[in-house]
Amino acid sequence: MAEITTIARPYAKAAFDFAIEKDAVDSWAEMLNFAAMVSENETIKPLLSGALASNQLAKLFIEVCGEQVNEQGQNLLKVMAENGRLEVLPAVSQQFVELRNVWAKEIEANVVSATELTAEQQQDISVSLEKRLTRKIKLNCSIDASLIAGLIITAGDLVIDGSVRGKISRLSDTLQS
């Protein structure tokens, strides 16, 4: 995992720097996300392991992406194909989004609750997290009935476990020690 992150980092940084320079951060995020989805396609994925020459692979990959990737994006794909790195496109896309979020002072927060949250509850959570983290918050909400009640919030390194399941687990650990 660390190796993929290390390989992807310079590509993501270069793409991000170029996107900032050209004031096209959102379009680059979309291009990289699309290219990452193409690289994970079951038909394309086996070809990335070196079955084709790099120039043929780049040409095929760019044809599949079509107009979803502009000329500069195609150049990035060509360089990555030449270096045998197209398989790390999902990590490049993820790191690009992380760089964009830091640049825009935004953070994604995942909220897992036992029941569906109302719009008012989501707004309250968002406002509280914005105050605590001093960043704009984008909430990703999901439901997990196994929490029994309460919720778990993760935002970057921050984890807030206010679920009954988490409280029971902590109580069990305390009683065993």
Side-chain angles (χ1 to χ4, degrees):
M1 182 67 166
E3 184 177 320
I4 291 173
T5 302
T6 304
I7 292 169
R9 187 176 297 120
Y11 294 107
K13 180 77 171 112
F16 183 74
D17 290 344
F18 185 82
I20 291 286
E21 182 181 312
K22 299 296 181 185
D23 194 28
V25 175
D26 290 333
S27 65
W28 267 88
E30 290 172 15
M31 280 191 302
L32 288 172
N33 184 46
F34 184 80
M37 288 190 302
V38 169
S39 73
E40 292 177 323
N41 180 285
E42 291 181 21
T43 306
I44 299 292
K45 199 169 191 167
L47 300 174
L48 301 180
S49 62
L52 294 173
S54 62
N55 59 347
Q56 291 175 323
L57 181 59
K59 183 178 178 183
L60 173 69
F61 205 87
I62 290 168
E63 286 177 12
V64 170
C65 289
E67 294 181 13
Q68 296 290 329
V69 178
N70 67 19
E71 184 179 345
Q72 293 82 17
Q74 291 176 7
N75 290 339
L76 176 67
L77 294 175
K78 287 176 186 174
V79 169
M80 290 182 74
E82 287 173 11
N83 294 319
R85 302 296 193 205
L86 286 175
E87 68 274 357
V88 299
L89 270 167
V92 171
S93 177
Q94 179 184 1
Q95 288 187 20
F96 185 93
V97 169
E98 290 171 5
L99 289 168
R100 180 190 67 187
N101 288 345
V102 169
W103 172 73
K105 295 192 178 197
E106 293 179 351
I107 191 165
E108 286 190 20
N110 296 312
V111 179
V112 181
S113 60
T115 59
E116 188 169 347
L117 298 174
T118 65
E120 184 179 328
Q121 290 171 322
Q122 290 180 20
Q123 180 65 24
D124 290 344
I125 292 169
S126 183
V127 168
S128 297
L129 286 173
E130 283 179 8
K131 284 181 186 175
R132 184 170 181 171
L133 301 173
T134 62
R135 290 184 173 180
K136 291 182 242 171
I137 302 294
K138 179 183 176 212
L139 287 183
N140 298 321
C141 297
S142 61
I143 299 171
D144 181 359
S146 71
L147 295 180
I148 305 170
L151 48 88
I152 299 173
I153 302 170
T154 56
D157 294 342
L158 175 69
V159 177
I160 302 171
D161 187 350
S163 68
V164 172
R165 181 180 71 189
K167 291 177 182 179
I168 291 171
S169 176
R170 288 189 295 276
L171 179 62
S172 173
D173 291 344
T174 303
L175 291 174
Q176 289 177 1
S177 58

